[in-house]
Amino acid sequence: MENKKQSGSLNRRDLLKVITAAPAAAMVVPGLAGESAVAAQESGGGYQPKFFNTHEYQTVTVLSDWIIPADEHSGSATQAGVPEFMDDWLNAEEAGGGPPRHHRRVSATMGTEALGSLTWIDMECNRLHGNDFVDCSRDQQKQILDRIAYPGKAAPEDVNAAAAFSRVRDLVLGGYFSSKMGIEYLPYLGNHYVEQWNGCPEPDLERLGVSYSEDWRNWKSTDD
Amino acid sequence: MPQVIRSPKVYDAVIVGSGAGGGMAAYVLTKAGAKCLMLEAGDWYDTAKESTMMQWPYQVPHRGAFDRKKPNGYFDPGYGGWRLPGEPYTNAPGSNWMWWRTRALGGRTNHWGRISLRMGPYDFKPFTRDGHGFDWPISYEDLAPYYDKTEELIGVFGTAEGLENTPDGKFMPPPRPRCYELMIQKACRKLGIPCIPSRLSIITQSINGRPHCHYCGQCGRSCATSSNFSSPTVLIPPAMATGNLEVRCNAMGREVIVGHDGLAQAVSYIDKKTRKENQVRAKIVVLAASTCETARILLNSKSPTHPNGLGNSSGYVGKYLMDTVGADGSDGFFPAMVDMPPHNEDGVGGMHLYMPWWNYQRQLRHELPFSRGFHIEFGGGRSGMPDVGDFFGSDRMLGGGYGVGLKRGVKKMWGAFVGFSCRGEMIPNEQSYCEIDKDLVDEWGIPVLKFHYHFTDEEIQMVKYARETFREIILTAGGQPLENYGPGDNWGIAQGGAIIHEVGACRMGADRSTSVLNANCQAWDCKNLFITDGAPFVSNADKNPTLSIMALAWRTSEYAADQVRKRNV
């Protein structure tokens, strides 16, 4: 809860000018949440994938919405621009822009694993149904997903495919929850100017069974 | 046309480095009336303009990942990293040191954690206390007045607690703990582990024209309003305001040029834009290029009077290199934190509480298999902007899945984790040092460093104990420990250099045959040479070095100015 009380010593207008000024380096990137993603979908897609080929990108789009569909609370992965995010991110990883910060299993890129997952999924769908994943029925798609979506329960012949699909899931979740839509859905309420920090609100204190009444500032005062 | 550019101008002081130590030397010396030239190997960094504070991941390329110049990503001003193109280093067989360089005005002070802890009395005399390591030639009492002045200048929050070997400072009021911090503090009370307000150089009250913190949690991005400490926002501006400071960027320090009398005459640097050598003359030289870089400059400063490098008649330049003993990634999942009523949990960009070392007496009685201490840092909950990587590996907690159930599961679990880290004291050992690699130069033609670095059982046992302690805290607080480090990976001890707290390599001492500097951080062999970064350190306590670097730099610079006034140097 933000307390908008103004401190006399601050020049609030100048302060906000600094804080809210958009630095020169920030720029609008393709695949922003919401409007542009929806518009791209409606217009038949203005985004040109750089990492995935057209078919792979189509598969990723379908998979993304299986992983994160829309519901009454928030939109789907495609509505949040996840396929564009994935393509751009993996393209940057591929271009060697530096080691991915969060992918510590250094010998494999996530791009490799994502492509492996897509290739396996199409292979299985063709073996079973004579079609690529995107051309299978919803039920057929679900059957494939159910085999590889639960790493701990995958059949022995499916364990690698489950591991690879987990990386696709990682990318979809990472892209969704760092998008504007995803951040608002969590919700993450920070990254703002806060005049006064009040700590933990009452309902959260109650939930955790803690309070500020025990003197958090003075360790020695709690000695018996 | 001469290749070397030599200006006839003689500065009172040339300061190599613009970070904590260089910035503080500039602050003190310019205010003492000295005309100073500061050399910085990186580019100018304008905090107010370039800070990425309050930008969103979806507003920037690749959600902030994969910045070519900044290995920690777009948001973090860590220009450089452990692998800096064109500036290599090597490791001896069996060593695995990682050497961080920040090439920007202000260096690491732009992106550091702002953890500002005083060393305690024990930390200056560890050998006297337990027979390991070496004593400093100064005591806590010698540095206390400089800790006072430094904290009053930069602004540090905290509380007076009177805990053993954890000196209280000149503090501003701390911010209230976050929800999960109160929960962990409660568990620590049960375990007898002190859990007190942290001590961070983030101002909760406005000082010196700097507005107080606005709790956006983005300190690590550097602060556009100067509400946390960095050299370019707190030290360099007042130094420049004296009219006595000139700053030159993209100046890669190469060596100190020495006269026939063996005294420092000039600093040679390579201009990164032109690749030409320049030499700037000064009455005194202050090295603050960061620990290893300073050692490197000295080792590369060979002359007839200093055949093994400047200041190195003892052979101790490069020796007894230490990084902090670190262990990260001890995460706990806390069911009680699932589905908490949402609120802005950012606070400052760092922990509001921490745990200082508490086992001093047990160690005196030899009850633990290691001799020194660590402090505990922790963080989690919903503090900090969601990042792409935060959602990787969700199958570990949720078992996998897809669909609305997955989406809701991630939402539910988000913010229900707290992670713990230790930062502990490494005992200096003879096997850990840096030297010049005779087979390699960097792109500026400067011979590079070769590292030798080893932990001993002391450090491994400390990390084992830390992991056990984290598990205890997590379980006591009602959580599930998630990590599984063991002896096979040395309990996940961080690689040397990974914590980026390297000190030593040009240590102070009372005996010139076993040290590089005297008790005033003045080179035994060259009285107009001073060092004001982490290189003079004799031990690397479980207190992050930056505050001590600044206090020591203040003391050294006052002494240097005094010596110049008295015409002793």
Side-chain angles (χ1 to χ4, degrees), chain B residues 1 26 71 114 144 156 177 180 219 228 249 257 268 282 319 351 435 471 477 487 519 563:
Chain B
M1 180 140 172
R114 278 80 191 175
V156 179
Y180 66 86
C219 293
N228 67 31
C249 289
I257 305 295
S268 151
K319 299 266 189 281
M351 67 247 180
E435 60 174 340
R471 288 184 84 86
Q563 289 298 293

Side-chain angles (χ1 to χ4, degrees), chain B residues 107-225:
Chain B
R108 302 164 188 191
T109 65
N110 292 309
H111 58 88
W112 72 304
R114 278 80 191 175
I115 299 172
S116 304
L117 306 173
R118 295 190 180 202
M119 285 168 64
Y122 301 172
D123 302 326
F124 288 90
K125 306 294 176 190
F127 177 75
T128 298
R129 192 161 178 272
D130 67 17
H132 298 293
F134 308 94
D135 286 345
W136 292 58
I138 60 173
S139 66
Y140 173 74
E141 286 67 37
D142 292 320
L143 209 52
Y146 295 94
Y147 278 130
D148 287 353
K149 292 206 271 197
T150 301
E151 287 161 353
E152 282 163 348
L153 172 65
I154 73 176
V156 179
F157 71 68
T159 50
E161 300 284 341
L163 290 172
E164 186 174 11
N165 201 42
T166 312
D168 300 320
K170 302 287 182 188
F171 294 136
M172 296 184 175
R176 283 181 144 191
R178 303 175 174 96
C179 306
Y180 66 86
E181 291 173 327
L182 288 171
M183 178 185 79
I184 297 298
Q185 187 183 49
K186 189 172 174 184
C188 287
R189 278 190 219 287
K190 291 182 188 159
L191 294 169
I193 298 174
C195 183
I196 62 171
S198 59
R199 295 156 178 198
L200 308 185
S201 51
I202 298 165
I203 55 176
T204 52
Q205 294 168 336
S206 305
I207 51 164
N208 298 333
R210 297 162 53 202
H212 67 71
C213 176
H214 50 264
Y215 309 101
C216 70
Q218 311 289 16
C219 293
R221 301 184 182 188
S222 79
C223 183
T225 60

Side-chain angles (χ1 to χ4, degrees), chain A residues 18 31 44 55 70 72 87 95 99 107 124 134 147 149 175 186:
Chain A
V18 171
H55 170 67
E72 65 269 31
D87 181 77
S107 58
E124 267 312 277
V134 294
R147 282 168 58 191
L186 283 169

